[in-house]
Amino acid sequence: MTAIDTRALKARQTELAQQVSLQDVPLSPRYIAGVDVGFEDGGNVTRAAVVILTWPELEVAEYQTARIPTQLPYIPGLLSFREIPAALAAWEKLTLKPDLVLVDGQGRAHPRRLGVAGHLGVLLDLPAIGVAKSRLCGTFEPLAEEAGAQSLLTDKGEPLGWVWRSKNRCNPLFISPGHHMSIDTALTWVKALTRGYRLPEPTRWADGIASNRTFFVRLKQKFPDFPRKDVDITDFQVNCGSRQSNE
C-alpha cells in the first residue's frame, strides 16, 4: 500500500461529520438493511454483507456480498474508510432499495462524530443507525444486569447515543444515530428490530452472512435457493438459530 495521508482522511471525516443530520425524517419503511464488514486473509481482503429485511415481518428478502482487496491498513479512528469500499460494493448489487440501514459499528459515538454508520448514511443519504458491540468513546452509568437496562452515552456532556442491554447475561450494545436520525429514535428502532437475540435482526443476519456463521451455513445447505420467496425457514430459524449465542 502507498503512504496514507491521515491528515487528509481526518479532514474528510470532519467534512462528512458536518453533513450528518440528527433530525428525524418521516420514516415508514418497507425494507430495512443490515450491513456488516469484516476482514479475511490476514486483513488483505475486506468482505461485506448487506441483507434486506421486510418490515414489519423481518423476513429476509435479499442479500448481497462483496469481497475486495483491502484498500487501507487499520488506523485507529479511521476504520470507516477501510470498511466503506466493500460495503458500497455489496450495496451496488442490491435490487431492492431499503429505507433505513443498520450498520454493525459506530454512528455518532466516535471521537470525530463519524463512525461507519454515519459515513455510509451520508454517502447514501439514508437514515442510518450504528449498532456497535463495544464502546469507542464516551462514558455511561453502569447498567443493571437484566435485559432492557439502558444508560445514556455521553462525551464531555454531549449525548452520543444509548447503551442498551438487549439480552440477559450479554454485554450491552452501543447504539448511536448515523444520519437522519435522533438519538432516541435510533434506540426505538433497534428495540423494535430485536427478536430475542443480542443483535437486532438486520445486523444479526448481516453478521451471519458476512462471517458465514453456522446457522447461515446450515440454512444454505438445507435451502440452496434462500431467500426465494417460497422457501419457508420459520421452523429452521427456531431450531438452528441458537438463542444462547451472545451474537
Side-chain angles (χ1 to χ4, degrees), residues 20-31:
V20 168
S21 170
L22 299 180
Q23 299 297 314
D24 291 323
V25 295
L27 193 57
S28 298
R30 179 60 186 131
Y31 298 111

Side-chain angles (χ1 to χ4, degrees), residues 38-47 67-70:
F39 300 91
E40 301 173 350
D41 188 25
N44 292 315
V45 175
T46 307
R47 69 170 186 273
R67 283 174 169 80
I68 66 171
T70 299

Side-chain angles (χ1 to χ4, degrees), residues 10-11 17 28 37 41-42 44-45 65-66 81 119 121 128 140 149 169 194-196 201 219 222 240-241:
K10 289 177 181 178
S28 298
V37 182
D41 188 25
N44 292 315
V45 175
T65 61
F81 289 96
H119 197 152
F140 60 97
R169 299 183 300 279
T194 301
R195 293 290 189 269
E201 290 298 283
L219 176 62
K222 187 168 184 178
C240 295

Side-chain angles (χ1 to χ4, degrees), residues 147-149 164-168 170-173 194 196-199:
W164 179 56
R165 196 181 306 281
S166 56
K167 185 179 175 185
N168 290 330
C170 285
N171 291 331
L173 300 174
T194 301
Y197 297 90
R198 183 190 177 202
L199 299 179

Side-chain angles (χ1 to χ4, degrees), residues 37-230:
V37 182
F39 300 91
E40 301 173 350
D41 188 25
N44 292 315
V45 175
T46 307
R47 69 170 186 273
V50 180
V51 61
I52 305 296
L53 303 185
T54 60
W55 172 259
E57 302 88 356
L58 294 183
E59 297 175 350
V60 177
E62 182 184 2
Y63 71 87
Q64 298 292 346
T65 61
R67 283 174 169 80
I68 66 171
T70 299
Q71 299 182 20
L72 283 176
Y74 171 70
I75 304 171
L78 295 173
L79 182 62
S80 68
F81 289 96
R82 181 171 158 93
E83 295 184 335
I84 283 290
L88 291 176
W91 191 275
E92 289 170 359
K93 297 179 182 180
L94 294 173
T95 60
L96 299 174
K97 299 304 178 184
D99 309 293
L100 169 65
V101 56
L102 275 67
V103 184
D104 189 320
Q106 308 292 343
R108 188 74 172 171
H110 183 281
R112 284 180 290 277
R113 306 300 183 254
L114 190 86
V116 64
H119 197 152
L120 188 63
V122 168
L123 293 182
L124 298 174
D125 194 26
L126 279 176
I129 301 170
V131 183
K133 302 184 185 80
S134 60
R135 181 185 67 88
L136 179 60
C137 71
T139 59
F140 60 97
E141 294 297 321
L143 293 181
E145 290 298 320
E146 67 270 11
Q150 64 189 58
S151 179
L152 189 66
L153 180 69
T154 64
D155 185 28
K156 300 175 183 177
E158 178 187 353
L160 298 181
W162 288 96
V163 186
W164 179 56
R165 196 181 306 281
S166 56
K167 185 179 175 185
N168 290 330
R169 299 183 300 279
C170 285
N171 291 331
L173 300 174
F174 293 79
I175 300 158
S176 59
H179 190 42
H180 290 316
M181 183 76 55
S182 68
I183 289 171
D184 289 345
T185 300
L187 177 63
T188 297
W189 270 109
V190 172
K191 287 181 176 180
L193 292 165
T194 301
R195 293 290 189 269
Y197 297 90
R198 183 190 177 202
L199 299 179
E201 290 298 283
T203 54
R204 185 179 77 86
W205 274 102
D207 172 83
I209 293 168
S211 301
N212 224 23
R213 300 210 182 270
T214 301
F215 84 89
F216 181 66
V217 172
R218 292 176 179 172
L219 176 62
K220 287 295 290 182
Q221 288 173 345
K222 187 168 184 178
F223 303 108
D225 292 331
F226 173 80
R228 201 180 65 199
K229 292 185 182 301
D230 60 344

